[in-house]
Amino acid sequence: MTELKVEADAAEVGFDADRLKRVDTHFRRYVDDGRLAGWTIAVARRGRVAHLSHYGSRDLEAGLSVEADTLWRIYSMTKPITSVAALMLYERGALELTDPVSRYIPSFADLRVYKAGSALNPATVPATEPVRVWHLLTHTAGLTYGFHHAHPVDEMYRLKGFEFGGPRGMDLAATCDAWATLPLLFQPGTEWNYSVATDVLGRVVEVASGKSLDEFFAQEIFTPLGMTETAFSVAEGDRDRLAALYVPRPGGGLVRNTSLAEAITRPPSMLSGGGGLVSTAHDYHRFTQMLAGGGELDGERLLGPRTVRYMTRNHLPGGADLQEFGRPIFAESSFAGVGFGLGFSVVVDPLAGKALTSTGEFAWGGLASTAFFIDPAEEITAMFFTQLMPSSTYPVRSQLRTLVHQALVD
């Protein structure tokens, strides 16, 4: 197991060391007062790790500390990996961003769109244009999540067994076919809604590449980048390294979530490109450095630099932000001043978002409060790992961004 290590003094890469210590001081309080069990934080600049810290417990009940080799469920931080896989195939000519998804998943032909009514008796109309690959990448396909609890179509997903995950024994192909029987929330390309779109994209990757999603990830992304601990399940011998999953206890403290937490301990029937991976700080750091390096790391190039720049631009129509174009629901990003690229949130106006960051910062996070951001203007990457659901519980992401940027002094 390769561990992430500090590679530069803070001052060498433009940080004030004392100001950078505020990151740990602040987030220790989350553990000390019982809001989080424990965490890992890593901050790098110009490709060199300048700050790395671990604090608290990976398992409160067992009394186990967070360590450098702790395994974390990264949930939706899987989405950028799936998006990179799709863009790798795009670069090879194996798919076009404008391709109808039905070219790869025939059940996605002739979709219907919700118009009115209840989950049990919806009125629908035909889709006026096909769902395309770029709709999946940008969450503008009209798909949804059952856990949103915001729309009759969300309820229809839940009635089919899709809230967190899906029915046991159903593989990715069957899952996509099941989603295709449900109406879209809106006409493709007309709105933004956080959804299972990246899971569908994972199936497109499988068909376009001729490989299962786990094979593609392992052969084309994880092995070249040295991400030896990232997978769709945790081997039995490594389960003591897996952080426990928690939810807030009403009135304070934490409650262990065992039902959802145990899913990662067995190979899944459905390979979720939208939220199925477990990883380590070392491994995900390698992925962020590849992106920060314009698609290349240590001589291994996954994407061309122009492709990385293209996918991390705001692709919402008319340059809109999520506040204008998105539905007011849970997502792994704030909405004001933030657009969306091909797999990432993208800051378009830090002033509108009241965020101490740069235009062009791209990021995403996961359901258990993990997060990363990459600021190309300042050449910064930062990651936060913990295991608290839902990620909207505390403003961890905005606070991490502020605490990292306030420490820059060059």
Side-chain angles (χ1 to χ4, degrees), residues 8-41:
D9 291 334
E12 287 182 71
V13 290
F15 286 109
D16 180 302
D18 288 334
R19 295 178 74 88
L20 199 54
K21 289 175 184 175
R22 293 176 180 176
V23 177
D24 290 356
T25 301
H26 176 77
F27 286 111
R28 280 183 189 137
R29 297 190 195 108
Y30 275 91
V31 174
D32 294 343
D33 64 16
R35 288 176 287 170
L36 295 177
W39 46 254
T40 287
I41 297 170

PDB file of all heavy atoms in Angstrom, residues 8-41:
ATOM      1  N   ALA A   8       6.362  19.045   0.307  1.00  0.00           N
ATOM      2  CA  ALA A   8       6.906  20.404   0.268  1.00  0.00           C
ATOM      3  C   ALA A   8       6.551  21.147   1.545  1.00  0.00           C
ATOM      4  O   ALA A   8       5.468  20.932   2.119  1.00  0.00           O
ATOM      5  CB  ALA A   8       6.353  21.161  -0.938  1.00  0.00           C
ATOM      6  N   ASP A   9       7.457  21.995   2.031  1.00  0.00           N
ATOM      7  CA  ASP A   9       7.092  22.917   3.096  1.00  0.00           C
ATOM      8  C   ASP A   9       6.056  23.888   2.561  1.00  0.00           C
ATOM      9  O   ASP A   9       6.087  24.258   1.380  1.00  0.00           O
ATOM     10  CB  ASP A   9       8.325  23.699   3.580  1.00  0.00           C
ATOM     11  CG  ASP A   9       9.319  22.820   4.313  1.00  0.00           C
ATOM     12  OD1 ASP A   9       8.886  21.795   4.878  1.00  0.00           O
ATOM     13  OD2 ASP A   9      10.511  23.147   4.303  1.00  0.00           O
ATOM     14  N   ALA A  10       5.164  24.304   3.431  1.00  0.00           N
ATOM     15  CA  ALA A  10       4.095  25.209   3.014  1.00  0.00           C
ATOM     16  C   ALA A  10       4.647  26.445   2.301  1.00  0.00           C
ATOM     17  O   ALA A  10       4.158  26.854   1.249  1.00  0.00           O
ATOM     18  CB  ALA A  10       3.254  25.605   4.219  1.00  0.00           C
ATOM     19  N   ALA A  11       5.707  27.034   2.878  1.00  0.00           N
ATOM     20  CA  ALA A  11       6.254  28.265   2.323  1.00  0.00           C
ATOM     21  C   ALA A  11       6.839  28.067   0.926  1.00  0.00           C
ATOM     22  O   ALA A  11       6.827  28.993   0.101  1.00  0.00           O
ATOM     23  CB  ALA A  11       7.323  28.824   3.251  1.00  0.00           C
ATOM     24  N   GLU A  12       7.350  26.873   0.646  1.00  0.00           N
ATOM     25  CA  GLU A  12       7.931  26.597  -0.670  1.00  0.00           C
ATOM     26  C   GLU A  12       6.922  26.765  -1.791  1.00  0.00           C
ATOM     27  O   GLU A  12       7.283  27.094  -2.930  1.00  0.00           O
ATOM     28  CB  GLU A  12       8.462  25.160  -0.717  1.00  0.00           C
ATOM     29  CG  GLU A  12       9.725  24.892   0.058  1.00  0.00           C
ATOM     30  CD  GLU A  12      10.139  23.438  -0.129  1.00  0.00           C
ATOM     31  OE1 GLU A  12      10.577  23.092  -1.246  1.00  0.00           O
ATOM     32  OE2 GLU A  12       9.991  22.650   0.815  1.00  0.00           O
ATOM     33  N   VAL A  13       5.646  26.526  -1.498  1.00  0.00           N
ATOM     34  CA  VAL A  13       4.610  26.594  -2.533  1.00  0.00           C
ATOM     35  C   VAL A  13       3.611  27.716  -2.270  1.00  0.00           C
ATOM     36  O   VAL A  13       2.485  27.697  -2.753  1.00  0.00           O
ATOM     37  CB  VAL A  13       3.887  25.230  -2.688  1.00  0.00           C
ATOM     38  CG1 VAL A  13       4.815  24.212  -3.318  1.00  0.00           C
ATOM     39  CG2 VAL A  13       3.358  24.730  -1.350  1.00  0.00           C
ATOM     40  N   GLY A  14       4.056  28.714  -1.496  1.00  0.00           N
ATOM     41  CA  GLY A  14       3.262  29.930  -1.377  1.00  0.00           C
ATOM     42  C   GLY A  14       2.219  29.981  -0.282  1.00  0.00           C
ATOM     43  O   GLY A  14       1.373  30.883  -0.270  1.00  0.00           O
ATOM     44  N   PHE A  15       2.258  29.045   0.668  1.00  0.00           N
ATOM     45  CA  PHE A  15       1.343  29.075   1.800  1.00  0.00           C
ATOM     46  C   PHE A  15       2.039  29.641   3.029  1.00  0.00           C
ATOM     47  O   PHE A  15       3.245  29.449   3.223  1.00  0.00           O
ATOM     48  CB  PHE A  15       0.849  27.667   2.155  1.00  0.00           C
ATOM     49  CG  PHE A  15      -0.154  27.091   1.200  1.00  0.00           C
ATOM     50  CD1 PHE A  15       0.195  26.040   0.359  1.00  0.00           C
ATOM     51  CD2 PHE A  15      -1.452  27.572   1.155  1.00  0.00           C
ATOM     52  CE1 PHE A  15      -0.726  25.486  -0.518  1.00  0.00           C
ATOM     53  CE2 PHE A  15      -2.390  27.019   0.280  1.00  0.00           C
ATOM     54  CZ  PHE A  15      -2.023  25.979  -0.552  1.00  0.00           C
ATOM     55  N   ASP A  16       1.288  30.325   3.863  1.00  0.00           N
ATOM     56  CA  ASP A  16       1.747  30.688   5.199  1.00  0.00           C
ATOM     57  C   ASP A  16       1.455  29.491   6.110  1.00  0.00           C
ATOM     58  O   ASP A  16       0.297  29.094   6.283  1.00  0.00           O
ATOM     59  CB  ASP A  16       0.993  31.928   5.688  1.00  0.00           C
ATOM     60  CG  ASP A  16       1.411  32.360   7.072  1.00  0.00           C
ATOM     61  OD1 ASP A  16       1.295  31.539   8.016  1.00  0.00           O
ATOM     62  OD2 ASP A  16       1.826  33.518   7.242  1.00  0.00           O
ATOM     63  N   ALA A  17       2.496  28.907   6.675  1.00  0.00           N
ATOM     64  CA  ALA A  17       2.336  27.668   7.445  1.00  0.00           C
ATOM     65  C   ALA A  17       1.381  27.837   8.623  1.00  0.00           C
ATOM     66  O   ALA A  17       0.565  26.953   8.910  1.00  0.00           O
ATOM     67  CB  ALA A  17       3.702  27.182   7.934  1.00  0.00           C
ATOM     68  N   ASP A  18       1.474  28.961   9.318  1.00  0.00           N
ATOM     69  CA  ASP A  18       0.591  29.179  10.465  1.00  0.00           C
ATOM     70  C   ASP A  18      -0.863  29.319  10.025  1.00  0.00           C
ATOM     71  O   ASP A  18      -1.776  28.813  10.690  1.00  0.00           O
ATOM     72  CB  ASP A  18       1.025  30.419  11.243  1.00  0.00           C
ATOM     73  CG  ASP A  18       2.319  30.195  12.010  1.00  0.00           C
ATOM     74  OD1 ASP A  18       2.608  29.024  12.340  1.00  0.00           O
ATOM     75  OD2 ASP A  18       3.039  31.179  12.258  1.00  0.00           O
ATOM     76  N   ARG A  19      -1.088  30.005   8.922  1.00  0.00           N
ATOM     77  CA  ARG A  19      -2.461  30.151   8.432  1.00  0.00           C
ATOM     78  C   ARG A  19      -3.015  28.815   7.925  1.00  0.00           C
ATOM     79  O   ARG A  19      -4.207  28.525   8.068  1.00  0.00           O
ATOM     80  CB  ARG A  19      -2.525  31.214   7.336  1.00  0.00           C
ATOM     81  CG  ARG A  19      -2.194  32.618   7.827  1.00  0.00           C
ATOM     82  CD  ARG A  19      -2.228  33.641   6.710  1.00  0.00           C
ATOM     83  NE  ARG A  19      -3.593  33.952   6.295  1.00  0.00           N
ATOM     84  CZ  ARG A  19      -4.350  34.892   6.847  1.00  0.00           C
ATOM     85  NH1 ARG A  19      -3.901  35.613   7.869  1.00  0.00           N
ATOM     86  NH2 ARG A  19      -5.570  35.112   6.396  1.00  0.00           N
ATOM     87  N   LEU A  20      -2.135  27.990   7.363  1.00  0.00           N
ATOM     88  CA  LEU A  20      -2.576  26.689   6.877  1.00  0.00           C
ATOM     89  C   LEU A  20      -2.989  25.774   8.034  1.00  0.00           C
ATOM     90  O   LEU A  20      -3.856  24.906   7.875  1.00  0.00           O
ATOM     91  CB  LEU A  20      -1.473  26.041   6.038  1.00  0.00           C
ATOM     92  CG  LEU A  20      -1.872  24.910   5.078  1.00  0.00           C
ATOM     93  CD1 LEU A  20      -2.996  25.345   4.137  1.00  0.00           C
ATOM     94  CD2 LEU A  20      -0.664  24.450   4.291  1.00  0.00           C
ATOM     95  N   LYS A  21      -2.402  25.989   9.214  1.00  0.00           N
ATOM     96  CA  LYS A  21      -2.778  25.191  10.383  1.00  0.00           C
ATOM     97  C   LYS A  21      -4.235  25.418  10.789  1.00  0.00           C
ATOM     98  O   LYS A  21      -4.821  24.612  11.508  1.00  0.00           O
ATOM     99  CB  LYS A  21      -1.857  25.524  11.560  1.00  0.00           C
ATOM    100  CG  LYS A  21      -0.437  25.011  11.405  1.00  0.00           C
ATOM    101  CD  LYS A  21       0.443  25.473  12.558  1.00  0.00           C
ATOM    102  CE  LYS A  21       1.895  25.053  12.350  1.00  0.00           C
ATOM    103  NZ  LYS A  21       2.783  25.611  13.417  1.00  0.00           N
ATOM    104  N   ARG A  22      -4.800  26.542  10.334  1.00  0.00           N
ATOM    105  CA  ARG A  22      -6.201  26.812  10.657  1.00  0.00           C
ATOM    106  C   ARG A  22      -7.128  25.742  10.087  1.00  0.00           C
ATOM    107  O   ARG A  22      -8.230  25.530  10.618  1.00  0.00           O
ATOM    108  CB  ARG A  22      -6.616  28.180  10.093  1.00  0.00           C
ATOM    109  CG  ARG A  22      -5.920  29.362  10.743  1.00  0.00           C
ATOM    110  CD  ARG A  22      -6.327  30.664  10.048  1.00  0.00           C
ATOM    111  NE  ARG A  22      -5.689  31.825  10.650  1.00  0.00           N
ATOM    112  CZ  ARG A  22      -5.809  33.064  10.200  1.00  0.00           C
ATOM    113  NH1 ARG A  22      -6.569  33.300   9.126  1.00  0.00           N
ATOM    114  NH2 ARG A  22      -5.194  34.073  10.797  1.00  0.00           N
ATOM    115  N   VAL A  23      -6.711  25.095   9.008  1.00  0.00           N
ATOM    116  CA  VAL A  23      -7.532  24.024   8.426  1.00  0.00           C
ATOM    117  C   VAL A  23      -7.790  22.953   9.471  1.00  0.00           C
ATOM    118  O   VAL A  23      -8.933  22.566   9.738  1.00  0.00           O
ATOM    119  CB  VAL A  23      -6.841  23.421   7.180  1.00  0.00           C
ATOM    120  CG1 VAL A  23      -7.664  22.261   6.635  1.00  0.00           C
ATOM    121  CG2 VAL A  23      -6.618  24.471   6.109  1.00  0.00           C
ATOM    122  N   ASP A  24      -6.708  22.474  10.093  1.00  0.00           N
ATOM    123  CA  ASP A  24      -6.846  21.424  11.096  1.00  0.00           C
ATOM    124  C   ASP A  24      -7.544  21.922  12.356  1.00  0.00           C
ATOM    125  O   ASP A  24      -8.400  21.227  12.922  1.00  0.00           O
ATOM    126  CB  ASP A  24      -5.473  20.863  11.473  1.00  0.00           C
ATOM    127  CG  ASP A  24      -4.847  20.055  10.348  1.00  0.00           C
ATOM    128  OD1 ASP A  24      -5.514  19.865   9.306  1.00  0.00           O
ATOM    129  OD2 ASP A  24      -3.700  19.614  10.506  1.00  0.00           O
ATOM    130  N   THR A  25      -7.169  23.111  12.804  1.00  0.00           N
ATOM    131  CA  THR A  25      -7.786  23.667  14.015  1.00  0.00           C
ATOM    132  C   THR A  25      -9.298  23.712  13.883  1.00  0.00           C
ATOM    133  O   THR A  25     -10.040  23.336  14.796  1.00  0.00           O
ATOM    134  CB  THR A  25      -7.247  25.076  14.296  1.00  0.00           C
ATOM    135  OG1 THR A  25      -5.825  24.999  14.455  1.00  0.00           O
ATOM    136  CG2 THR A  25      -7.877  25.664  15.550  1.00  0.00           C
ATOM    137  N   HIS A  26      -9.752  24.159  12.713  1.00  0.00           N
ATOM    138  CA  HIS A  26     -11.196  24.278  12.487  1.00  0.00           C
ATOM    139  C   HIS A  26     -11.874  22.909  12.459  1.00  0.00           C
ATOM    140  O   HIS A  26     -12.873  22.691  13.157  1.00  0.00           O
ATOM    141  CB  HIS A  26     -11.455  25.010  11.172  1.00  0.00           C
ATOM    142  CG  HIS A  26     -12.900  25.098  10.820  1.00  0.00           C
ATOM    143  ND1 HIS A  26     -13.760  25.982  11.427  1.00  0.00           N
ATOM    144  CD2 HIS A  26     -13.660  24.383   9.933  1.00  0.00           C
ATOM    145  CE1 HIS A  26     -14.982  25.825  10.932  1.00  0.00           C
ATOM    146  NE2 HIS A  26     -14.939  24.869  10.021  1.00  0.00           N
ATOM    147  N   PHE A  27     -11.343  21.990  11.670  1.00  0.00           N
ATOM    148  CA  PHE A  27     -12.037  20.720  11.486  1.00  0.00           C
ATOM    149  C   PHE A  27     -11.865  19.765  12.666  1.00  0.00           C
ATOM    150  O   PHE A  27     -12.656  18.824  12.816  1.00  0.00           O
ATOM    151  CB  PHE A  27     -11.628  20.075  10.162  1.00  0.00           C
ATOM    152  CG  PHE A  27     -12.249  20.760   8.971  1.00  0.00           C
ATOM    153  CD1 PHE A  27     -11.482  21.492   8.086  1.00  0.00           C
ATOM    154  CD2 PHE A  27     -13.625  20.682   8.760  1.00  0.00           C
ATOM    155  CE1 PHE A  27     -12.062  22.134   6.998  1.00  0.00           C
ATOM    156  CE2 PHE A  27     -14.213  21.323   7.680  1.00  0.00           C
ATOM    157  CZ  PHE A  27     -13.433  22.043   6.799  1.00  0.00           C
ATOM    158  N   ARG A  28     -10.871  19.991  13.523  1.00  0.00           N
ATOM    159  CA  ARG A  28     -10.797  19.201  14.759  1.00  0.00           C
ATOM    160  C   ARG A  28     -12.024  19.416  15.635  1.00  0.00           C
ATOM    161  O   ARG A  28     -12.473  18.507  16.321  1.00  0.00           O
ATOM    162  CB  ARG A  28      -9.531  19.577  15.537  1.00  0.00           C
ATOM    163  CG  ARG A  28      -8.274  18.908  15.020  1.00  0.00           C
ATOM    164  CD  ARG A  28      -7.071  19.255  15.870  1.00  0.00           C
ATOM    165  NE  ARG A  28      -5.837  18.792  15.251  1.00  0.00           N
ATOM    166  CZ  ARG A  28      -4.722  19.504  15.182  1.00  0.00           C
ATOM    167  NH1 ARG A  28      -4.680  20.734  15.677  1.00  0.00           N
ATOM    168  NH2 ARG A  28      -3.642  19.002  14.611  1.00  0.00           N
ATOM    169  N   ARG A  29     -12.558  20.619  15.578  1.00  0.00           N
ATOM    170  CA  ARG A  29     -13.745  20.911  16.397  1.00  0.00           C
ATOM    171  C   ARG A  29     -14.921  20.027  15.998  1.00  0.00           C
ATOM    172  O   ARG A  29     -15.737  19.657  16.838  1.00  0.00           O
ATOM    173  CB  ARG A  29     -14.136  22.395  16.262  1.00  0.00           C
ATOM    174  CG  ARG A  29     -13.084  23.364  16.781  1.00  0.00           C
ATOM    175  CD  ARG A  29     -13.641  24.798  16.830  1.00  0.00           C
ATOM    176  NE  ARG A  29     -12.568  25.763  16.987  1.00  0.00           N
ATOM    177  CZ  ARG A  29     -12.148  26.588  16.034  1.00  0.00           C
ATOM    178  NH1 ARG A  29     -12.724  26.577  14.844  1.00  0.00           N
ATOM    179  NH2 ARG A  29     -11.168  27.452  16.267  1.00  0.00           N
ATOM    180  N   TYR A  30     -15.014  19.712  14.713  1.00  0.00           N
ATOM    181  CA  TYR A  30     -16.088  18.831  14.248  1.00  0.00           C
ATOM    182  C   TYR A  30     -16.018  17.458  14.921  1.00  0.00           C
ATOM    183  O   TYR A  30     -17.044  16.830  15.189  1.00  0.00           O
ATOM    184  CB  TYR A  30     -16.001  18.649  12.731  1.00  0.00           C
ATOM    185  CG  TYR A  30     -16.678  19.715  11.918  1.00  0.00           C
ATOM    186  CD1 TYR A  30     -15.993  20.854  11.488  1.00  0.00           C
ATOM    187  CD2 TYR A  30     -18.010  19.574  11.533  1.00  0.00           C
ATOM    188  CE1 TYR A  30     -16.618  21.817  10.707  1.00  0.00           C
ATOM    189  CE2 TYR A  30     -18.644  20.537  10.757  1.00  0.00           C
ATOM    190  CZ  TYR A  30     -17.942  21.658  10.350  1.00  0.00           C
ATOM    191  OH  TYR A  30     -18.567  22.620   9.586  1.00  0.00           O
ATOM    192  N   VAL A  31     -14.809  16.981  15.152  1.00  0.00           N
ATOM    193  CA  VAL A  31     -14.628  15.689  15.810  1.00  0.00           C
ATOM    194  C   VAL A  31     -14.791  15.833  17.319  1.00  0.00           C
ATOM    195  O   VAL A  31     -15.477  15.034  17.972  1.00  0.00           O
ATOM    196  CB  VAL A  31     -13.242  15.105  15.467  1.00  0.00           C
ATOM    197  CG1 VAL A  31     -12.986  13.819  16.257  1.00  0.00           C
ATOM    198  CG2 VAL A  31     -13.137  14.843  13.964  1.00  0.00           C
ATOM    199  N   ASP A  32     -14.174  16.863  17.874  1.00  0.00           N
ATOM    200  CA  ASP A  32     -14.191  17.024  19.333  1.00  0.00           C
ATOM    201  C   ASP A  32     -15.596  17.213  19.884  1.00  0.00           C
ATOM    202  O   ASP A  32     -15.886  16.802  21.013  1.00  0.00           O
ATOM    203  CB  ASP A  32     -13.302  18.202  19.739  1.00  0.00           C
ATOM    204  CG  ASP A  32     -11.826  17.950  19.437  1.00  0.00           C
ATOM    205  OD1 ASP A  32     -11.457  16.774  19.228  1.00  0.00           O
ATOM    206  OD2 ASP A  32     -11.051  18.931  19.402  1.00  0.00           O
ATOM    207  N   ASP A  33     -16.477  17.850  19.106  1.00  0.00           N
ATOM    208  CA  ASP A  33     -17.841  18.045  19.615  1.00  0.00           C
ATOM    209  C   ASP A  33     -18.835  17.012  19.077  1.00  0.00           C
ATOM    210  O   ASP A  33     -20.043  17.137  19.264  1.00  0.00           O
ATOM    211  CB  ASP A  33     -18.343  19.464  19.331  1.00  0.00           C
ATOM    212  CG  ASP A  33     -18.488  19.802  17.850  1.00  0.00           C
ATOM    213  OD1 ASP A  33     -18.499  18.870  17.019  1.00  0.00           O
ATOM    214  OD2 ASP A  33     -18.595  20.996  17.531  1.00  0.00           O
ATOM    215  N   GLY A  34     -18.314  15.981  18.398  1.00  0.00           N
ATOM    216  CA  GLY A  34     -19.156  14.857  18.029  1.00  0.00           C
ATOM    217  C   GLY A  34     -19.891  14.964  16.709  1.00  0.00           C
ATOM    218  O   GLY A  34     -20.722  14.114  16.387  1.00  0.00           O
ATOM    219  N   ARG A  35     -19.577  15.975  15.889  1.00  0.00           N
ATOM    220  CA  ARG A  35     -20.266  16.104  14.603  1.00  0.00           C
ATOM    221  C   ARG A  35     -19.711  15.153  13.549  1.00  0.00           C
ATOM    222  O   ARG A  35     -20.439  14.695  12.668  1.00  0.00           O
ATOM    223  CB  ARG A  35     -20.194  17.551  14.105  1.00  0.00           C
ATOM    224  CG  ARG A  35     -21.078  18.518  14.884  1.00  0.00           C
ATOM    225  CD  ARG A  35     -20.889  19.947  14.398  1.00  0.00           C
ATOM    226  NE  ARG A  35     -19.595  20.496  14.827  1.00  0.00           N
ATOM    227  CZ  ARG A  35     -19.075  21.644  14.393  1.00  0.00           C
ATOM    228  NH1 ARG A  35     -19.730  22.355  13.478  1.00  0.00           N
ATOM    229  NH2 ARG A  35     -17.910  22.078  14.851  1.00  0.00           N
ATOM    230  N   LEU A  36     -18.416  14.878  13.590  1.00  0.00           N
ATOM    231  CA  LEU A  36     -17.782  13.917  12.694  1.00  0.00           C
ATOM    232  C   LEU A  36     -16.993  12.908  13.520  1.00  0.00           C
ATOM    233  O   LEU A  36     -16.520  13.227  14.617  1.00  0.00           O
ATOM    234  CB  LEU A  36     -16.814  14.614  11.723  1.00  0.00           C
ATOM    235  CG  LEU A  36     -17.388  15.603  10.703  1.00  0.00           C
ATOM    236  CD1 LEU A  36     -16.256  16.232   9.898  1.00  0.00           C
ATOM    237  CD2 LEU A  36     -18.389  14.936   9.784  1.00  0.00           C
ATOM    238  N   ALA A  37     -16.828  11.711  12.969  1.00  0.00           N
ATOM    239  CA  ALA A  37     -16.023  10.703  13.657  1.00  0.00           C
ATOM    240  C   ALA A  37     -14.538  10.966  13.459  1.00  0.00           C
ATOM    241  O   ALA A  37     -13.735  10.866  14.395  1.00  0.00           O
ATOM    242  CB  ALA A  37     -16.381   9.317  13.144  1.00  0.00           C
ATOM    243  N   GLY A  38     -14.162  11.310  12.240  1.00  0.00           N
ATOM    244  CA  GLY A  38     -12.755  11.564  11.920  1.00  0.00           C
ATOM    245  C   GLY A  38     -12.623  11.967  10.474  1.00  0.00           C
ATOM    246  O   GLY A  38     -13.595  11.913   9.709  1.00  0.00           O
ATOM    247  N   TRP A  39     -11.412  12.385  10.085  1.00  0.00           N
ATOM    248  CA  TRP A  39     -11.218  12.869   8.723  1.00  0.00           C
ATOM    249  C   TRP A  39      -9.756  12.788   8.285  1.00  0.00           C
ATOM    250  O   TRP A  39      -8.849  12.682   9.117  1.00  0.00           O
ATOM    251  CB  TRP A  39     -11.710  14.309   8.549  1.00  0.00           C
ATOM    252  CG  TRP A  39     -11.317  15.318   9.619  1.00  0.00           C
ATOM    253  CD1 TRP A  39     -12.130  15.844  10.580  1.00  0.00           C
ATOM    254  CD2 TRP A  39     -10.021  15.907   9.838  1.00  0.00           C
ATOM    255  NE1 TRP A  39     -11.432  16.733  11.373  1.00  0.00           N
ATOM    256  CE2 TRP A  39     -10.152  16.794  10.937  1.00  0.00           C
ATOM    257  CE3 TRP A  39      -8.780  15.789   9.216  1.00  0.00           C
ATOM    258  CZ2 TRP A  39      -9.071  17.541  11.434  1.00  0.00           C
ATOM    259  CZ3 TRP A  39      -7.694  16.528   9.704  1.00  0.00           C
ATOM    260  CH2 TRP A  39      -7.855  17.387  10.805  1.00  0.00           C
ATOM    261  N   THR A  40      -9.579  12.884   6.978  1.00  0.00           N
ATOM    262  CA  THR A  40      -8.273  13.100   6.356  1.00  0.00           C
ATOM    263  C   THR A  40      -8.389  14.321   5.448  1.00  0.00           C
ATOM    264  O   THR A  40      -9.384  14.469   4.730  1.00  0.00           O
ATOM    265  CB  THR A  40      -7.839  11.882   5.529  1.00  0.00           C
ATOM    266  OG1 THR A  40      -7.465  10.826   6.421  1.00  0.00           O
ATOM    267  CG2 THR A  40      -6.651  12.210   4.624  1.00  0.00           C
ATOM    268  N   ILE A  41      -7.385  15.186   5.510  1.00  0.00           N
ATOM    269  CA  ILE A  41      -7.342  16.377   4.664  1.00  0.00           C
ATOM    270  C   ILE A  41      -5.992  16.415   3.952  1.00  0.00           C
ATOM    271  O   ILE A  41      -4.950  16.189   4.586  1.00  0.00           O
ATOM    272  CB  ILE A  41      -7.528  17.672   5.483  1.00  0.00           C
ATOM    273  CG1 ILE A  41      -8.907  17.695   6.150  1.00  0.00           C
ATOM    274  CG2 ILE A  41      -7.336  18.910   4.607  1.00  0.00           C
ATOM    275  CD1 ILE A  41      -9.079  18.811   7.167  1.00  0.00           C
TER     276      ILE A  41
END
